[in-house]
Amino acid sequence: MKTLLTESELQTGVSQMAAAITASSTGRQLTIIGVLTGSVVLLADLIRQIDQPMRVGVIQASSYRGATTERGELVINSALMIDISGRDVLLVDDIFDTGHTLAKVVAKLQDLGPASIRSAVLLRKTGRQEVDYQPDFTAFSIPDEFVVGYGLDYEDMYRNLPYLAALEPADLAKHASQAGAF
Ligand code: 5GP
Ligand code: MG
C-alpha cells in the first residue's frame, strides 16, 4: 500500500475543517448526520472538535461494488435517522467521488424538511465530479486512486487503518488470497 496521508496529516486537515465549520456557525444548534459506514472515523474525530452545541445521528448509504471501480445501485436506509425537521443539518461523509452518493443523500434529507443542509467530506477526488452539487467543506483533494483507511474500506476491510493509503494491484492480489481467512 502507498500512504497518501499520514495520521498526523489527517488530524491537521480534520482540525482545520472543524475550525472552518465552527467559524461558520450562526449560533443555532447543529444536527450532524454521518453517512454510514465510511464516515465513522471522521465523524468521531470531527464532532469532538466542533465547538458548538450539536445533535448527532446517522444514515446509511451503500452502493454495492464488486470490483474497485464499478458501482451498483445506491441504497439509502434512513431507519436510524433522528428528526431533522426545522434543523440546521451538517451531513458528514468520507469521500466525494462522482458526487452521486452525496447528492442523493442530500435530496433524501431535503424531503424531511430541514431548515438548511450543508455537507462536509474528508476527501474529494479531483476531476471525477458528475453532479452539480458541491460539498460545503472538504478537508483534502486527492488524485483518482482507490483509497482505504480512516473509515474507507475495500470489501469492509482496512477501515481501521489510522492513515489513508492507495491500494495497489499487489494489495488486491494479497487481499484476494486472504479473503475468508478468519
Ligand atoms: P460517489 O457517489 O461520490 O461517486 O462515491 C462515493 C462513495 O463511493 C463513497 O461514499 C465511498 O463509499 C465510495 N468510494 C468512492 N471512491 C472511493 C475510494 O477511493 N475508496 C473507497 N474505499 N471508497 C470509495
Ligand atoms: Mg461511503
Side-chain angles (χ1 to χ4, degrees), residues 97-163:
D97 181 15
T98 63
H100 288 290
T101 302
L102 208 59
K104 284 181 186 152
V105 175
V106 167
K108 177 106 182 171
L109 294 189
Q110 287 290 8
D111 291 344
L112 302 173
S116 66
I117 303 186
R118 292 179 301 162
S119 58
V121 297
L122 179 74
L123 305 168
R124 184 168 179 163
K125 281 191 194 168
T126 46
R128 292 272 301 160
Q129 186 171 349
E130 291 176 5
V131 297
D132 283 338
Y133 183 81
Q134 304 264 5
D136 298 278
F137 302 94
T138 302
F140 299 97
S141 289
I142 59 165
D144 183 15
E145 293 185 88
F146 191 81
V147 293
V148 295
Y150 199 76
L152 291 105
D153 74 306
Y154 176 57
E155 295 188 338
D156 293 308
M157 289 191 67
Y158 315 113
R159 294 192 197 276
N160 57 311
L161 299 178
Y163 50 87

Side-chain angles (χ1 to χ4, degrees), residues 5-55:
L5 293 167
T6 64
E7 189 170 0
S8 90
E9 286 168 337
L10 285 166
Q11 290 311 322
T12 302
V14 172
S15 297
Q16 285 170 353
M17 187 161 74
I21 293 165
T22 304
S24 74
S25 166
T26 57
R28 278 165 53 92
Q29 191 185 74
L30 264 187
T31 295
I32 300 197
I33 303 294
V35 182
L36 295 177
T37 304
S39 78
V40 290
V41 179
L42 172 64
L43 186 67
D45 282 347
L46 191 65
I47 60 176
R48 289 178 292 170
Q49 295 184 62
I50 297 174
D51 187 12
Q52 183 179 349
M54 66 175 72
R55 297 157 70 236

